[in-house]
Amino acid sequence: MKNIAFNNFDFLRLFAACLVLFSHQFALAGQPEPGINFHTFGGLGVLIFFSISGYLVAQSWDRDQSIWRFLAKRVLRIWPGLVVVTTMAALLLGPMVSTVPLDQYFLDYKTWDFFRTLKLTAIRSELPGVFSANPFPNAVNGSLWTLPVEFRWYLILLVLGMVGLLRHRYLILISAITFAVFVFLIYDAQHNPERKFSLEFGAFFCYGVCLYYFRDFWATLIRPILFTLSIAGTALFAIGQEYTALFLVLPALVIFCGTASTPFLRRAGRFGDISYGVYIYAFPVQQTVVLLAGDHLSIWSLLAISTAVTLVFALLSWHMVEGPMLRLKRYLVKPSGRRRYAEAAVN
């Protein structure tokens, strides 16, 4: 059955994942990552992810305020795909490309420590002798470091819901604005040499949450709001606050576009929601292609091959792992809402 959405979020998630893949290809080939002066294109892709996540996860909590069902849905979305890609990297890819003997590989503590990634508290990105000679050495799956950050914000949202803050949208707005002022103006995320990405990513997540709870306000005022934000963003850009300007405009643009239903864009998920698969498989695929190709291929050839192989893995991940596991959500829905489950379609 074709998965045709009623909005553009599938497209935006896939676009964000492809931005990360594109940007990382340069870094993994030993070249500077393209982007704007304070953020790579890969970083922009992650900011899009966090903006969407804040909106959709807030929607999920608003529709069903069961703690265990909320957590189960988040785990079903992240963990199954992560288990498979981590296991494949450690037990299949690693032994095939490692420069250390096979017996030493399986006796090395790094091999088994690699599975601590599954705890979603800290990421382990090294395996013994794997990609040690690559231009970007020793990193097996560097993209995964954002997953613990995202899961942490899921938990923060859950706590806010449990204490009742999410029932008062103006308190949400005031809290989010205060947090954003700290991150971008006081802490100065753009110019701080010790940037804590969990803070700035969290600000984009909170922006998405606010957009969900104020959706009745902006739904009929999208154009004047975007115009106003653009003017404010231009002013901030002119005084050297480019990151603050991006924060002001990007989440609103993403959510306004995501909630729309554009005939072509809304069909992006007709073969499955492969954005997560692209995100978690691209890095090891790209590292492997770089390892095998050496310096014999151009950056664009590396990108083309990596993209094609990653899309195959992402499709397999969706249809064999993620999709089947997400279908278990039907057993998590409140009895009164089972017949409306197919319409929920939230992360």
Side-chain angles (χ1 to χ4, degrees):
M1 181 181 296
K2 292 183 178 181
N3 179 27
I4 306 300
F6 295 101
N7 54 55
N8 299 332
F9 281 122
D10 284 345
F11 167 79
L12 288 174
R13 283 189 294 242
L14 183 57
F15 173 72
C18 289
L19 275 181
V20 175
L21 185 157
F22 173 78
S23 187
H24 281 173
Q25 189 65 68
F26 289 82
L28 299 182
Q31 300 183 24
E33 287 190 64
I36 51 182
N37 63 343
F38 58 90
H39 234 310
T40 65
F41 288 135
L44 291 176
V46 174
L47 296 179
I48 292 172
F49 272 126
F50 273 84
S51 301
I52 295 173
S53 184
Y55 184 90
L56 293 181
V57 174
Q59 182 184 71
S60 180
W61 170 260
D62 189 45
R63 291 182 173 181
D64 182 3
Q65 298 181 11
S66 162
I67 297 172
W68 79 270
R69 283 194 294 267
F70 178 87
L71 289 173
K73 291 173 185 177
R74 308 286 77 76
V75 170
L76 284 174
R77 187 65 188 97
I78 291 180
W79 210 64
L82 181 62
V83 169
V84 174
V85 73
T86 301
T87 302
M88 289 178 63
L91 302 184
L92 291 178
L93 177 63
M96 291 172 61
V97 303
S98 178
T99 57
V100 305
L102 201 59
D103 57 341
Q104 293 184 25
Y105 177 87
F106 284 108
L107 289 173
D108 196 304
Y109 83 96
K110 286 185 180 179
T111 300
W112 308 109
D113 188 60
F114 190 76
F115 286 94
R116 293 183 66 183
T117 293
L118 302 180
K119 296 173 64 177
L120 285 174
T121 54
I123 296 301
R124 299 294 186 267
S125 194
E126 291 189 29
L127 286 169
V130 177
F131 304 136
S132 56
N134 277 27
F136 197 95
N138 303 317
V140 177
N141 202 342
S143 298
L144 300 184
W145 73 271
T146 63
L147 297 185
V149 178
E150 184 168 4
F151 197 76
R152 193 176 307 139
W153 280 98
Y154 293 166
L155 297 179
I156 291 172
L157 182 76
L158 174 61
V159 171
L160 295 179
M162 291 168 59
V163 301
L165 178 62
L166 299 183
R167 291 196 294 269
H168 307 282
R169 67 178 186 172
Y170 286 101
L171 284 179
I172 301 172
L173 181 62
I174 293 170
S175 300
I177 291 174
T178 303
F179 181 55
V181 168
F182 169 76
V183 171
F184 293 102
L185 299 181
I186 299 175
Y187 178 76
D188 194 7
Q190 179 176 334
H191 303 103
N192 196 321
E194 298 181 358
R195 292 167 62 180
K196 304 296 184 184
F197 287 100
S198 59
L199 291 180
E200 55 196 87
F201 291 169
F204 281 80
F205 182 91
C206 292
Y207 198 149
V209 172
C210 288
L211 286 171
Y212 173 74
Y213 282 103
F214 283 87
R215 64 197 182 281
D216 60 330
F217 170 76
W218 56 258
T220 58
L221 299 170
I222 290 178
R223 288 185 179 180
I225 289 174
L226 283 178
F227 177 77
T228 303
L229 292 177
S230 298
I231 296 297
T234 301
L236 287 168
F237 190 90
I239 62 173
Q241 286 292 330
E242 296 98 333
Y243 204 177
T244 310
L246 179 71
F247 168 75
L248 199 63
V249 176
L250 182 65
L253 188 62
V254 167
I255 300 306
F256 294 169
C257 178
T259 53
S261 184
T262 309
F264 175 74
L265 299 185
R266 71 186 182 202
R267 293 177 58 85
R270 63 188 180 277
F271 300 116
D273 181 6
I274 63 172
S275 57
Y276 184 58
V278 170
Y279 189 78
I280 63 177
Y281 279 96
F283 200 100
V285 166
Q286 291 172 291
Q287 283 283 59
T288 303
V289 172
V290 169
L291 174 68
L292 296 177
D295 56 359
H296 300 295
L297 295 177
S298 70
I299 186 69
W300 303 109
S301 297
L302 292 171
L303 179 62
I305 296 171
S306 297
T307 300
V309 176
T310 298
L311 288 175
V312 171
F313 276 104
L315 282 166
L316 291 173
S317 178
W318 173 257
H319 290 288
M320 299 178 66
V321 180
E322 300 167 56
M325 294 303 295
L326 286 174
R327 284 195 287 272
L328 296 177
K329 283 185 179 182
R330 67 181 64 134
Y331 301 110
L332 302 175
V333 179
K334 294 181 294 185
S336 61
R338 290 191 187 277
R339 281 181 286 184
R340 297 193 303 272
Y341 172 76
E343 300 177 9
V346 295
N347 280 359

